[in-house]
Amino acid sequence: MRKLFHISDLHFGLEDRTALGWFEDIVRRERPAAVLITGDLTMRARSREFTAACDWIEALDVPVTVEVGNHDLPYFNPLARFFWPYARIRRIERLVERELDFPGLAVVPLKTTARAQWRLDWSKGRVSRRALSKTLAAIDALPRGTTILITAHHPLVEAGTRGQALTRGGEAALAALAARGVAAVLTGHVHDAFDLMKQTPAGPIRMIGAGTLSQRIRSTPPSFNQLAIAGGVIDVRVRNLEAVSTPDMQIRAVPPDALPPRSPGEPVAPIGAVPPADPPVH
Ligand SMILES: [Fe+2]
Ligand SMILES: [Fe+2]
């Protein structure tokens, strides 16, 4: 049996120190074979946020693979966004979009984060032809019979969570992965955990989403997914941070400076602003 931990949406800048400390302790005690991080390391891709994220990831001291989320692309500097999108993550570059191989098991990355796209909301997912080809080529190079897990930031199709990914090219990508016998696609972005089977024209495929370890919780407390894999069977357990008062921690909107409220109960949205009915937390 091989144990992997799947975490997502750490959002340094609005990180939850209690949740991160809780996870670190579990890693230290249980020593998983790897930690899979499906994106949104930071809140606004600021240098200090990446420094904190990199410090934390390096201290885990187990094999790690990292996906880049929509929050990890330079937000305030369009030049950097287009030309040097990963410059601030250079310290952990070797971990980014990295394949992990174990006997009989492989974790293969799929990029779903776009620097820009032909729609107003660039935070949504997109699977480019190039990104999919790269992932399919990596799968085709694996020995027959390997249990294959894909790591991506955005769910490839909607998973029934409050947050949406609306990934362009996601449906076709999911079918292509199902055709190759991929065991599961692991994602983040929506901040709530899920585990479901999706039908595609090429057959069924499992979709597994991890919650968040940040303060940006949505419907559930901070959590991560534990995957126990044996003989091609994947057992998923969502492990929640206990004793957390969910409504008190939930935020309705993210302030422009992306700082947490100064005192408990203080509204995050500007005074007088009407919080949206379904805030775009992703
Ligand atoms: Fe995201
Ligand atoms: Fe996120």
Side-chain angles (χ1 to χ4, degrees):
M1 194 271 289
R2 192 161 274 112
K3 186 154 81 174
L4 305 176
F5 289 166
H6 171 201
I7 63 174
S8 204
D9 296 80
L10 312 178
H11 284 296
F12 275 85
L14 267 183
E15 75 274 23
D16 183 332
R17 282 282 158 194
T18 306
L20 294 174
W22 165 73
F23 180 75
E24 284 166 51
D25 284 347
I26 296 174
V27 169
R28 213 168 296 132
R29 276 200 313 272
E30 301 184 18
R31 302 297 300 173
V35 172
L36 321 177
I37 307 178
T38 50
D40 280 356
L41 301 182
T42 68
M43 197 55 223
R44 288 286 179 248
R46 295 179 175 103
S47 297
R48 63 175 181 274
E49 295 172 351
F50 274 123
T51 301
C54 293
D55 286 347
W56 187 81
I57 289 167
E58 284 178 339
L60 289 177
D61 197 27
V62 291
V64 172
T65 181
V66 174
E67 287 306 296
V68 170
N70 51 293
H71 279 258
D72 301 326
L73 296 178
Y75 184 78
F76 298 112
N77 183 340
L79 266 185
R81 183 180 179 103
F82 281 94
F83 296 110
W84 313 285
Y86 296 170
R88 290 171 188 174
I89 214 170
R90 199 155 282 155
R91 210 172 113 200
I92 55 162
E93 201 171 21
R94 69 190 188 287
L95 308 180
V96 174
E97 287 162 18
R98 168 209 199 192
E99 180 176 324
L100 294 177
D101 293 296
F102 304 95
L105 171 71
V107 180
V108 180
L110 170 66
K111 186 166 171 265
T112 60
T113 302
R115 277 177 271 187
Q117 45 184 321
W118 292 110
R119 58 175 156 177
L120 284 176
D121 191 346
W122 293 355
S123 72
K124 303 300 182 195
R126 174 171 176 257
V127 182
S128 68
R129 224 177 286 178
R130 194 167 150 199
L132 182 60
S133 301
K134 195 174 166 197
T135 300
L136 296 180
I139 291 172
D140 292 342
L142 291 168
R144 245 173 213 280
T146 304
T147 300
I148 302 165
L149 305 176
I150 300 294
T151 44
H153 179 56
H154 299 84
L156 299 184
V157 298
E158 299 314 303
T161 52
R162 283 182 61 200
Q164 293 185 310
L166 304 175
T167 302
R168 286 220 169 131
E171 224 161 289
L174 200 63
L177 296 172
R180 289 210 172 36
V182 162
V185 182
L186 275 48
T187 53
H189 186 66
V190 292
H191 293 203
D192 284 321
F194 58 84
D195 178 13
L196 51 90
M197 290 300 287
K198 207 82 187 175
Q199 286 300 328
T200 77
I205 188 166
R206 194 163 174 183
M207 291 173 58
I208 298 170
T212 178
L213 287 175
S214 77
Q215 296 182 52
R216 302 189 78 202
I217 54 174
R218 188 142 203 177
S219 305
T220 47
S223 71
F224 72 95
N225 289 352
Q226 172 182 301
L227 280 69
I229 302 159
V233 177
I234 306 168
D235 178 64
V236 179
R237 192 177 138 208
V238 180
R239 297 178 67 172
N240 286 319
L241 176 62
E242 287 166 359
V244 171
S245 174
T246 302
D248 287 350
M249 290 184 68
Q250 271 177 336
I251 54 173
R252 300 286 301 165
V254 178
D257 62 3
L259 294 171
R262 265 168 281 164
S263 60
E266 183 182 342
V268 182
I271 304 295
V274 180
D278 189 12
V281 177
H282 41 68

